[in-house]
Amino acid sequence: MNHHSMILLITHYGYAGISIALFLGIVGIPLPIEIILLGAGYIAVKTNLHLGGIIGFAWLGACAGMTVNYLLGKSIGLERISKVTKWIKLSESRLENWAEHFKKHGAILLLVGFYVAGLRHAAPFIAGAIKLRFTKFISISYLGAMAWILVIVFLGQKLGKAWDHMFIHFHHPLWLIVAAGVVGLGLLGVKKMVRQQKLPS
């Protein structure tokens, strides 16, 4: 989805379009939700929407997506979902290994997961699969979602007028390389953090 189609989508559906986009992006559909948040100020101007409304409805969509993934994890479990994830080389044993880390560092992984593509989708699912208490899950994940949204929107505001140039060139392969690098660094950071904080068995 390029920036023109994204603007058209949000112009047509308004706040609901933003909420749906964030919901689908959290559930796992490949949508540029970070770009929507980074460009919130730009989108607000182009679509005559209020920045506060964009943030609020983005948060509702993110919370809904996190909740759906949690409930799926709770009802499906790791063993059944591994039959699907094995096609992307994510075996049941690896999921179980993540689950063990999650039992010890679940709160941290839920918060950090928002900033790492992949972990953002897996974290609530694993939380449900290990039967993390729902009230604890929503208190952490909903707060984390708002913090994540505000951080990215703030960064987007700091970029200011650079958004016109960045949106135009977003389709360039360089952006894919940069995005892959950010995700890779995020995954390495999470792995190192978990390793350092792992409690002795």
Side-chain angles (χ1 to χ4, degrees):
M1 179 185 290
N2 58 38
H3 78 286
H4 292 297
S5 57
M6 183 176 68
I7 292 294
L8 288 174
L9 173 70
I10 296 173
T11 299
H12 183 72
Y13 292 104
Y15 296 121
I18 293 169
S19 193
I20 291 170
L22 265 291
F23 169 77
L24 294 176
I26 292 291
V27 169
I29 305 300
L31 293 178
I33 55 177
E34 285 89 354
I35 297 301
I36 293 175
L37 296 176
L38 280 169
Y42 175 92
I43 292 170
V45 172
K46 294 293 182 179
T47 60
N48 294 318
L49 298 176
H50 295 288
L51 183 60
I54 291 175
I55 292 172
F57 279 88
W59 179 73
L60 290 176
C63 291
M66 293 286 287
T67 303
V68 166
N69 279 7
Y70 172 90
L71 294 175
L72 283 173
K74 191 171 184 178
S75 61
I76 296 175
L78 297 179
E79 182 178 355
R80 291 175 64 184
I81 196 62
S82 67
K83 295 177 181 179
V84 176
T85 59
K86 67 180 182 180
W87 298 107
I88 57 173
K89 302 187 184 300
L90 190 57
S91 63
E92 182 180 351
S93 61
R94 189 172 180 186
L95 285 173
E96 290 176 347
N97 184 48
W98 282 8
E100 285 302 314
H101 287 306
F102 210 91
K103 289 175 183 177
K104 299 174 182 177
H105 312 290
I108 296 174
L109 292 176
L110 273 174
L111 292 173
V112 173
F114 282 103
Y115 305 89
V116 182
L119 184 57
R120 180 166 56 234
H121 316 305
F125 183 89
I126 295 174
I130 67 171
K131 304 297 190 293
L132 181 70
R133 194 169 70 253
F134 184 65
T135 52
K136 182 177 181 180
F137 167 77
I138 62 173
S139 64
I140 296 171
S141 62
Y142 288 13
L143 178 63
M146 178 56 77
W148 168 64
I149 289 168
L150 290 175
V151 165
I152 299 183
V153 169
F154 175 77
L155 290 175
Q157 292 293 93
K158 288 297 182 181
L159 288 172
K161 294 182 180 180
W163 269 107
D164 284 311
H165 178 76
M166 294 174 70
F167 268 123
I168 291 171
H169 296 285
F170 181 68
H171 64 279
H172 195 278
L174 176 62
W175 282 104
L176 298 178
I177 296 172
V178 172
V182 171
V183 171
L185 289 173
L187 289 173
L188 287 174
V190 171
K191 185 176 180 180
K192 183 177 180 181
M193 178 188 65
V194 170
R195 184 178 298 167
Q196 290 176 342
Q197 296 187 11
K198 185 176 180 181
L199 298 175
S201 55

